[in-house]
Amino acid sequence: MVERPGPSSRPDAPVPVVLAHGSRTSASMWRRQLAALERAGVPAVAADLPGHGARRGEPFTLDGAVAAVRHAVDGLGGHALVAGLSLGGYVAIEHRARHPEQSAGLVAASCCTVSSSVLRPAWLSLARWIEGWPDHGARLNDTFVRLALDAEGARDLAGDGFALTAMAQVLRELGPTDTLGALAAAGSPVWLVNGRYDHFRTQERAFLAAARAGGADARLVVVPHARHLVSLDAPVAFTRVLLEAEAAVAAHPRKATSVLT
């Protein structure tokens, strides 16, 4: 877990921020966002999910991932804006649904395709095949990172090492979840953030509608020129959205409640 407490110098009380990383990476991917939040006087924590970062070697489970976010929020006073990218976005959505009392708001990035997609069996088969290679796909992963990111982004993504055998577990755990139902299950504000060229934004309008169906003030932000790893691909633009989301929930605090009956 990476933490930046950050002194507050703002007229309104800052809302703490918890960051959840993508699959196979770790809390290190949020280095630039943590630095920006610290400069803004916002307490922030980036949590390692099970099977990743400092927790490599543990099995990944969705329950364990939601518990990691819940624990991080508890450590910041029990109420926070939770932001996640890709896997972290799905986990953040599930956390908000299960623990609405902890949610000041949600920033869900690069996760606007339902996890029960008809393509999931093919993704799972591919993940199992690659994880069975002698290097578990390390060379392929390194090539992808070099092509997708600049040097600074690549260093942040790889900072605490890659969880090269976690992807099949992630796909198995996320498969049965009802992401749209989870979005509709709580009323705290929602920001859906996607890179313009992200292949995971195919259902962003349905995600937006689901969040609004739960009574949330929900908005969609599409970052020009960015791809799936939007926080690393366009760190300045993504960080601006994150800071604006924190400022919005700090300026208009309200108690989040479940809408499930």
Side-chain angles (χ1 to χ4, degrees):
M1 181 177 289
V2 181
E3 183 170 358
R4 297 289 188 273
S8 176
S9 59
R10 302 169 9 155
D12 56 337
V15 173
V17 174
V18 171
L19 300 166
H21 60 76
S23 61
R24 297 184 296 175
T25 181
S26 69
S28 68
M29 68 166 282
W30 297 111
R31 180 186 62 82
R32 283 179 281 191
Q33 284 73 37
L34 286 169
L37 289 163
E38 181 177 24
R39 289 192 297 271
V42 178
V45 168
D48 279 330
L49 302 178
H52 297 76
R55 302 181 64 179
R56 282 204 310 276
E58 298 179 29
F60 176 86
T61 66
L62 181 58
D63 288 347
V66 171
V69 173
R70 186 188 71 240
H71 178 73
V73 175
D74 280 340
L76 291 174
H79 198 237
L81 173 70
V82 178
L85 181 138
S86 193
L87 167 61
Y90 291 109
V91 171
I93 290 170
E94 192 69 19
H95 167 267
R96 175 176 171 271
R98 296 188 191 186
H99 303 285
E101 75 287 349
Q102 286 198 328
S103 178
L106 167 72
V107 177
S110 306
C111 58
C112 282
T113 294
V114 294
S115 54
S116 57
S117 166
V118 295
L119 295 176
R120 189 182 70 90
W123 295 339
L124 182 55
S125 295
L126 181 62
R128 286 171 171 161
W129 178 56
I130 293 173
E131 288 173 11
W133 295 358
D135 70 345
H136 307 302
R139 290 179 63 186
L140 178 65
N141 184 73
D142 290 346
T143 299
F144 166 78
V145 171
R146 285 198 308 271
L147 292 174
L149 297 170
D150 62 19
E152 188 174 7
R155 284 194 300 272
D156 290 345
L157 193 69
D160 291 329
F162 290 108
L164 295 173
T165 59
M167 194 64 212
Q169 292 179 0
V170 167
L171 290 168
R172 282 196 301 269
E173 284 290 304
L174 292 185
T177 60
D178 177 8
T179 310
L180 296 177
L183 271 172
S188 58
V190 174
W191 286 259
L192 301 172
V193 185
N194 292 317
R196 170 67 179 83
Y197 301 110
D198 184 9
H199 55 290
F200 267 72
R201 59 175 294 219
T202 56
Q203 294 173 295
E204 59 191 11
R205 294 293 172 183
F207 274 57
L208 188 65
R212 289 173 174 169
D217 177 6
R219 64 207 72 181
L220 172 66
V221 180
V222 178
V223 179
H225 314 298
R227 292 158 292 186
H228 183 63
L229 297 173
V230 59
S231 65
L232 295 155
D233 210 16
V236 174
F238 181 87
T239 301
R240 184 180 300 118
V241 175
L242 183 61
L243 290 169
E244 289 173 354
E246 186 281 326
V249 297
H252 302 286
R254 67 173 182 170
K255 183 176 177 62
T257 57
S258 173
V259 298
L260 291 177
T261 59

